[in-house]
């Protein structure tokens, strides 16, 4: 596709429920990033993949958060036993290869609301 | 990556130039200045970046002071569609993650 696609666009989860958020990066993009954006704040880094390898997961807030990119294209961010503090917009970004700057493209995000 | 300081909000009249300042007094010699913006309900969008020379593209101009401790993003003729949060980020060229601060909320008014 022409851009980074994220689904679902909106997700409402009951506290304790598991959720899975999907990111379809631009075809051929090697690098993929997940960010979390709380209301009124700037995005915060969660994790980074280069192809299928997860090279940095230092931003994941707890072991309830898990991300994967098994074939080096589509990525899924999974949150287990959701809590109210997990409510945020989850943004995915991709870039053509490590080491380029013009190509950082973000999706529109998934807005997660935990009730 | 060096920290940046931006005013939390600014207003600009439609059709006028919008000048968005950013302080980055601890910037290192190998760190670039990047600007992104985030329009409501969208992901951040790359605008421009530079090292020490002024840069211009179809979206904006970037003016970096000689000591590189501050910079200004200029939108020469702001439109209502430029209403967004503008983020100034400094990092090494082609580094991995972007570290966003609070940004400047620019409101372009008719």
């Amino acid at each position: 596709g022409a851009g980074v696609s994220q689904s679902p666009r909106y997700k409402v989860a009951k506290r304790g429920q598991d959720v899975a958020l999907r990111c379809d990066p631009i075809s051929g993009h090697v690098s993929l990033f997940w960010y979390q954006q709380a209301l009124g704040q700037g995005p915060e880094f969660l994790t980074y993949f280069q192809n299928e390898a997860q090279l940095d997961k230092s931003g994941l807030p707890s072991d309830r958060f898990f991300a994967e990119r098994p074939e080096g294209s589509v990525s899924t961010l999974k949150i287990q036993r959701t809590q109210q503090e997990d409510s945020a917009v989850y943004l995915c970004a991709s870039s053509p290869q490590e080491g380029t700057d013009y190509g950082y493209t973000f999706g529109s995000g998934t807005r997660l609301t935990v009730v | 990556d060096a920290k940046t300081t931006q005013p939390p909000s600014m207003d600009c009249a439609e059709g006028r130039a919008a000048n968005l300042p950013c302080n980055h007094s601890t910037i290192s010699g190998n760190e670039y200045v990047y600007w992104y913006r985030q329009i409501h309900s969208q992901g951040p969008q790359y605008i421009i970046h530079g090292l020490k020379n002024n840069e211009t593209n179809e979206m904006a101009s970037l003016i970096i002071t000689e000591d590189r401790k501050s910079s200004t993003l200029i939108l020469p003729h702001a439109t209502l569609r430029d209403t967004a949060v503008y983020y100034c980020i400094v990092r090494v060229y082609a580094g991995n993650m972007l570290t966003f601060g609070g940004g400047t909320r620019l409101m372009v008014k008719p």
Side-chain angles (χ1 to χ4, degrees):
Chain A
V4 177
S5 177
Q6 293 188 246
S7 60
R9 188 75 173 88
Y10 302 93
K11 176 68 178 178
V12 178
K14 291 184 178 180
R15 191 172 54 182
Q17 184 180 355
D18 297 349
V19 298
L21 312 180
R22 177 186 171 103
C23 173
D24 281 86
I26 293 173
S27 179
H29 276 199
V30 169
S31 298
L32 185 144
F33 304 80
W34 284 98
Y35 288 80
Q36 180 190 57
Q37 186 170 24
L39 188 64
Q41 306 292 317
E44 293 194 358
F45 170 80
L46 293 177
T47 187
Y48 159 62
F49 290 85
Q50 185 178 345
N51 295 307
E52 69 278 3
Q54 189 174 19
L55 299 186
D56 188 343
K57 54 182 180 179
S58 61
L60 295 176
S62 77
D63 58 7
R64 296 186 295 105
F65 286 71
F66 172 76
E68 59 183 7
R69 194 186 185 198
E71 298 179 356
S73 55
V74 171
S75 178
T76 304
L77 176 67
K78 297 179 179 178
I79 308 173
Q80 297 177 325
R81 305 181 303 281
T82 52
Q83 304 294 316
Q84 284 191 320
E85 61 263 29
D86 300 335
S87 294
V89 174
Y90 291 85
L91 294 161
C92 176
S94 68
S95 67
Q97 58 186 353
E98 186 179 19
T100 61
D101 275 290
Y102 302 100
Y104 250 98
T105 304
F106 282 83
S108 295
T110 294
R111 181 177 297 277
L112 173 65
T113 303
V114 181
V115 298
Chain B
D1 293 339
K3 289 186 176 180
T4 62
T5 304
Q6 299 177 254
S9 64
M10 290 182 62
D11 290 344
C12 177
E14 188 179 19
R16 304 295 294 269
N19 298 289
L20 293 92
C22 180
N23 287 324
H24 32 78
S25 58
T26 60
I27 191 170
S28 300
N30 64 342
E31 288 182 314
Y32 284 63
V33 180
Y34 292 80
W35 284 84
Y36 280 75
R37 74 178 182 183
Q38 188 171 23
I39 295 170
H40 182 64
S41 296
Q42 297 182 21
Q45 175 192 22
Y46 167 85
I47 302 174
I48 198 167
H49 75 280
L51 181 63
K52 54 184 178 180
N53 297 322
N54 298 337
E55 302 288 343
T56 296
N57 63 21
E58 66 278 5
M59 291 183 68
S61 295
L62 174 60
I63 309 298
I64 303 174
T65 58
E66 191 169 347
D67 64 7
R68 303 209 320 123
K69 293 186 177 182
S70 65
S71 60
T72 301
L73 179 74
I74 300 172
L75 307 179
H77 306 286
T79 70
L80 299 179
R81 287 176 292 182
D82 292 321
T83 292
V85 178
Y86 287 77
Y87 295 100
C88 170
I89 299 167
V90 294
R91 65 168 181 148
V92 296
Y93 180 70
N96 293 329
M97 75 180 82
L98 296 169
T99 302
F100 292 84
T104 295
R105 184 173 299 277
L106 175 69
M107 179 73 71
V108 180
K109 297 183 175 180

